[in-house]
Amino acid sequence: MSTATLEALAPAALSYKWTLADSYRCAKQLIEERIEGDFVECGVYAGAQCAAMAKAIIEEPEWDGRRIHLFDSFSGIPAAGPEDLEYLKAGHMAGLSACSLEQVKANMAAWGIPSKMLVYHPGMFEGTVPRSIRIGTVGPKIALLRLDGDLYRSTKVCIENLYPLLSQGGICIADDYALSGCRLAVDEFMQGNFSPIYWRKP
Ligand SMILES: C[S@@+](CC[C@H](N)C(=O)[O-])C[C@H]1O[C@@H](n2cnc3c(N)ncnc32)[C@H](O)[C@@H]1O
């Protein structure tokens, strides 16, 4: 991904700029290693991370059919629960970090991402994630799973349902591990999942 592209995406991302470069690098590596499956982000906001993943696909001489799944309410982060200590302390109300589906689609068009690569799953994760698996609109394999829903319950439903679809050699990114709710959801899940965790120092 060129520096110009990174600079174009960065203002639309809620994370650090280097996380965009990382989403791109992970996607690129998975394509090169031919790890089977689509790329998924749960919590897309304006879509910049998904666009970074898409850039890795677009750079290939031929589209390998890999798609990017965008899960989001498109109406912002819901109310925090008792596990989300930082959110409670800050007094955040429901609806924080909202970006509409129409705006995300407009962003993707402006960034040159072909719509055939994108699958939108609008609605609350608690409904859309299990339903999409059940009806087969996501899966059967995922190569890259990016969790960015901030809260305990948002992370929990996504990791419990989608991590089992991750291919061997696939990558899972928990963007909000520094937040107490996300960390608890990841730790609880990993306690029952006897696999090592690898991480790359940011
Ligand atoms: C921090 S933002 C995502 C930032 C984005 N990945 C980026 O790097 O720019 C969190 C997103 O998660 C979504 N979200 C959080 N919990 C959700 C839930 N339970 N169901 C659906 N969407 C949720 C919000 O609507 C918001 O767009």
Side-chain angles (χ1 to χ4, degrees), residues 38 67 69 71 119 121 128 131-139:
D38 287 344
R67 295 180 305 168
H69 296 264
F71 284 91
V119 187
H121 302 267
T128 55
R131 187 170 62 245
S132 303
I133 295 170
R134 200 169 51 245
I135 65 176
T137 49
V138 70

PDB file of all heavy atoms in Angstrom, residues 38 67 69 71 119 121 128 131-139:
ATOM      1  N   ASP A  38     -11.917 -15.746   3.797  1.00  0.00           N
ATOM      2  CA  ASP A  38     -12.176 -14.319   3.624  1.00  0.00           C
ATOM      3  C   ASP A  38     -11.563 -13.513   4.762  1.00  0.00           C
ATOM      4  O   ASP A  38     -11.061 -14.073   5.743  1.00  0.00           O
ATOM      5  CB  ASP A  38     -13.693 -14.085   3.604  1.00  0.00           C
ATOM      6  CG  ASP A  38     -14.334 -14.564   2.300  1.00  0.00           C
ATOM      7  OD1 ASP A  38     -13.599 -14.781   1.304  1.00  0.00           O
ATOM      8  OD2 ASP A  38     -15.568 -14.714   2.283  1.00  0.00           O
ATOM      9  N   ARG A  67     -13.195 -12.266  -0.240  1.00  0.00           N
ATOM     10  CA  ARG A  67     -14.058 -11.111   0.047  1.00  0.00           C
ATOM     11  C   ARG A  67     -13.804 -10.571   1.456  1.00  0.00           C
ATOM     12  O   ARG A  67     -13.175 -11.237   2.275  1.00  0.00           O
ATOM     13  CB  ARG A  67     -15.518 -11.521  -0.101  1.00  0.00           C
ATOM     14  CG  ARG A  67     -15.856 -11.905  -1.533  1.00  0.00           C
ATOM     15  CD  ARG A  67     -17.297 -12.304  -1.688  1.00  0.00           C
ATOM     16  NE  ARG A  67     -17.650 -13.381  -0.768  1.00  0.00           N
ATOM     17  CZ  ARG A  67     -18.900 -13.770  -0.526  1.00  0.00           C
ATOM     18  NH1 ARG A  67     -19.908 -13.171  -1.116  1.00  0.00           N
ATOM     19  NH2 ARG A  67     -19.146 -14.760   0.314  1.00  0.00           N
ATOM     20  N   HIS A  69     -15.733  -9.017   4.780  1.00  0.00           N
ATOM     21  CA  HIS A  69     -17.026  -8.935   5.455  1.00  0.00           C
ATOM     22  C   HIS A  69     -16.998  -7.806   6.475  1.00  0.00           C
ATOM     23  O   HIS A  69     -16.108  -7.757   7.330  1.00  0.00           O
ATOM     24  CB  HIS A  69     -17.330 -10.255   6.164  1.00  0.00           C
ATOM     25  CG  HIS A  69     -17.491 -11.397   5.205  1.00  0.00           C
ATOM     26  ND1 HIS A  69     -18.716 -11.821   4.747  1.00  0.00           N
ATOM     27  CD2 HIS A  69     -16.561 -12.175   4.600  1.00  0.00           C
ATOM     28  CE1 HIS A  69     -18.548 -12.827   3.897  1.00  0.00           C
ATOM     29  NE2 HIS A  69     -17.245 -13.056   3.789  1.00  0.00           N
ATOM     30  N   PHE A  71     -18.970  -6.240   9.448  1.00  0.00           N
ATOM     31  CA  PHE A  71     -20.030  -6.365  10.454  1.00  0.00           C
ATOM     32  C   PHE A  71     -20.081  -5.082  11.281  1.00  0.00           C
ATOM     33  O   PHE A  71     -19.072  -4.676  11.875  1.00  0.00           O
ATOM     34  CB  PHE A  71     -19.739  -7.540  11.401  1.00  0.00           C
ATOM     35  CG  PHE A  71     -20.005  -8.897  10.811  1.00  0.00           C
ATOM     36  CD1 PHE A  71     -19.008  -9.596  10.145  1.00  0.00           C
ATOM     37  CD2 PHE A  71     -21.261  -9.492  10.930  1.00  0.00           C
ATOM     38  CE1 PHE A  71     -19.249 -10.858   9.605  1.00  0.00           C
ATOM     39  CE2 PHE A  71     -21.511 -10.754  10.397  1.00  0.00           C
ATOM     40  CZ  PHE A  71     -20.510 -11.441   9.736  1.00  0.00           C
ATOM     41  N   VAL A 119     -18.868  -7.522   1.520  1.00  0.00           N
ATOM     42  CA  VAL A 119     -20.141  -8.075   1.983  1.00  0.00           C
ATOM     43  C   VAL A 119     -20.507  -7.345   3.279  1.00  0.00           C
ATOM     44  O   VAL A 119     -19.774  -7.420   4.271  1.00  0.00           O
ATOM     45  CB  VAL A 119     -20.047  -9.597   2.269  1.00  0.00           C
ATOM     46  CG1 VAL A 119     -21.422 -10.164   2.590  1.00  0.00           C
ATOM     47  CG2 VAL A 119     -19.418 -10.340   1.094  1.00  0.00           C
ATOM     48  N   HIS A 121     -22.818  -6.631   6.580  1.00  0.00           N
ATOM     49  CA  HIS A 121     -23.698  -7.338   7.517  1.00  0.00           C
ATOM     50  C   HIS A 121     -24.198  -6.302   8.534  1.00  0.00           C
ATOM     51  O   HIS A 121     -23.696  -6.247   9.672  1.00  0.00           O
ATOM     52  CB  HIS A 121     -22.930  -8.446   8.250  1.00  0.00           C
ATOM     53  CG  HIS A 121     -22.307  -9.477   7.349  1.00  0.00           C
ATOM     54  ND1 HIS A 121     -22.938 -10.660   7.012  1.00  0.00           N
ATOM     55  CD2 HIS A 121     -21.111  -9.512   6.714  1.00  0.00           C
ATOM     56  CE1 HIS A 121     -22.159 -11.380   6.214  1.00  0.00           C
ATOM     57  NE2 HIS A 121     -21.040 -10.697   6.022  1.00  0.00           N
ATOM     58  N   THR A 128     -26.389 -10.538  13.862  1.00  0.00           N
ATOM     59  CA  THR A 128     -25.836 -10.744  12.508  1.00  0.00           C
ATOM     60  C   THR A 128     -24.751 -11.822  12.457  1.00  0.00           C
ATOM     61  O   THR A 128     -24.670 -12.562  11.476  1.00  0.00           O
ATOM     62  CB  THR A 128     -25.236  -9.434  11.951  1.00  0.00           C
ATOM     63  OG1 THR A 128     -24.264  -8.917  12.876  1.00  0.00           O
ATOM     64  CG2 THR A 128     -26.307  -8.397  11.700  1.00  0.00           C
ATOM     65  N   ARG A 131     -26.263 -15.403  12.765  1.00  0.00           N
ATOM     66  CA  ARG A 131     -27.154 -15.628  11.616  1.00  0.00           C
ATOM     67  C   ARG A 131     -26.359 -15.806  10.321  1.00  0.00           C
ATOM     68  O   ARG A 131     -26.651 -16.687   9.515  1.00  0.00           O
ATOM     69  CB  ARG A 131     -28.156 -14.471  11.467  1.00  0.00           C
ATOM     70  CG  ARG A 131     -29.212 -14.748  10.386  1.00  0.00           C
ATOM     71  CD  ARG A 131     -30.354 -13.746  10.375  1.00  0.00           C
ATOM     72  NE  ARG A 131     -29.911 -12.391  10.095  1.00  0.00           N
ATOM     73  CZ  ARG A 131     -29.990 -11.379  10.944  1.00  0.00           C
ATOM     74  NH1 ARG A 131     -30.495 -11.568  12.149  1.00  0.00           N
ATOM     75  NH2 ARG A 131     -29.561 -10.174  10.622  1.00  0.00           N
ATOM     76  N   SER A 132     -25.333 -14.981  10.130  1.00  0.00           N
ATOM     77  CA  SER A 132     -24.539 -15.070   8.887  1.00  0.00           C
ATOM     78  C   SER A 132     -23.840 -16.419   8.783  1.00  0.00           C
ATOM     79  O   SER A 132     -23.688 -16.956   7.680  1.00  0.00           O
ATOM     80  CB  SER A 132     -23.498 -13.949   8.846  1.00  0.00           C
ATOM     81  OG  SER A 132     -24.121 -12.721   8.951  1.00  0.00           O
ATOM     82  N   ILE A 133     -23.409 -16.943   9.919  1.00  0.00           N
ATOM     83  CA  ILE A 133     -22.769 -18.265   9.895  1.00  0.00           C
ATOM     84  C   ILE A 133     -23.823 -19.324   9.556  1.00  0.00           C
ATOM     85  O   ILE A 133     -23.608 -20.185   8.707  1.00  0.00           O
ATOM     86  CB  ILE A 133     -22.097 -18.571  11.255  1.00  0.00           C
ATOM     87  CG1 ILE A 133     -20.949 -17.579  11.503  1.00  0.00           C
ATOM     88  CG2 ILE A 133     -21.576 -20.006  11.295  1.00  0.00           C
ATOM     89  CD1 ILE A 133     -20.374 -17.632  12.898  1.00  0.00           C
ATOM     90  N   ARG A 134     -24.979 -19.187  10.204  1.00  0.00           N
ATOM     91  CA  ARG A 134     -26.046 -20.187  10.016  1.00  0.00           C
ATOM     92  C   ARG A 134     -26.503 -20.251   8.565  1.00  0.00           C
ATOM     93  O   ARG A 134     -26.669 -21.326   8.005  1.00  0.00           O
ATOM     94  CB  ARG A 134     -27.228 -19.835  10.941  1.00  0.00           C
ATOM     95  CG  ARG A 134     -28.168 -20.980  11.222  1.00  0.00           C
ATOM     96  CD  ARG A 134     -29.163 -20.680  12.337  1.00  0.00           C
ATOM     97  NE  ARG A 134     -29.878 -19.433  12.160  1.00  0.00           N
ATOM     98  CZ  ARG A 134     -29.776 -18.385  12.957  1.00  0.00           C
ATOM     99  NH1 ARG A 134     -28.969 -18.430  13.998  1.00  0.00           N
ATOM    100  NH2 ARG A 134     -30.468 -17.278  12.738  1.00  0.00           N
ATOM    101  N   ILE A 135     -26.662 -19.092   7.937  1.00  0.00           N
ATOM    102  CA  ILE A 135     -27.184 -19.099   6.557  1.00  0.00           C
ATOM    103  C   ILE A 135     -26.061 -19.112   5.521  1.00  0.00           C
ATOM    104  O   ILE A 135     -26.308 -19.121   4.319  1.00  0.00           O
ATOM    105  CB  ILE A 135     -28.155 -17.916   6.304  1.00  0.00           C
ATOM    106  CG1 ILE A 135     -27.425 -16.559   6.409  1.00  0.00           C
ATOM    107  CG2 ILE A 135     -29.334 -17.968   7.256  1.00  0.00           C
ATOM    108  CD1 ILE A 135     -28.314 -15.367   6.066  1.00  0.00           C
ATOM    109  N   GLY A 136     -24.813 -19.090   5.991  1.00  0.00           N
ATOM    110  CA  GLY A 136     -23.682 -19.268   5.083  1.00  0.00           C
ATOM    111  C   GLY A 136     -23.262 -18.026   4.318  1.00  0.00           C
ATOM    112  O   GLY A 136     -22.558 -18.127   3.317  1.00  0.00           O
ATOM    113  N   THR A 137     -23.648 -16.843   4.797  1.00  0.00           N
ATOM    114  CA  THR A 137     -23.190 -15.628   4.101  1.00  0.00           C
ATOM    115  C   THR A 137     -21.801 -15.206   4.575  1.00  0.00           C
ATOM    116  O   THR A 137     -21.191 -14.318   3.989  1.00  0.00           O
ATOM    117  CB  THR A 137     -24.185 -14.461   4.276  1.00  0.00           C
ATOM    118  OG1 THR A 137     -24.508 -14.339   5.659  1.00  0.00           O
ATOM    119  CG2 THR A 137     -25.447 -14.697   3.472  1.00  0.00           C
ATOM    120  N   VAL A 138     -21.302 -15.840   5.628  1.00  0.00           N
ATOM    121  CA  VAL A 138     -19.885 -15.710   5.995  1.00  0.00           C
ATOM    122  C   VAL A 138     -19.350 -17.123   6.207  1.00  0.00           C
ATOM    123  O   VAL A 138     -20.097 -18.017   6.595  1.00  0.00           O
ATOM    124  CB  VAL A 138     -19.682 -14.824   7.251  1.00  0.00           C
ATOM    125  CG1 VAL A 138     -20.172 -15.496   8.517  1.00  0.00           C
ATOM    126  CG2 VAL A 138     -18.219 -14.410   7.413  1.00  0.00           C
ATOM    127  N   GLY A 139     -18.071 -17.303   5.907  1.00  0.00           N
ATOM    128  CA  GLY A 139     -17.469 -18.630   6.048  1.00  0.00           C
ATOM    129  C   GLY A 139     -17.564 -19.410   4.755  1.00  0.00           C
ATOM    130  O   GLY A 139     -17.920 -18.829   3.726  1.00  0.00           O
TER     131      GLY A 139
END
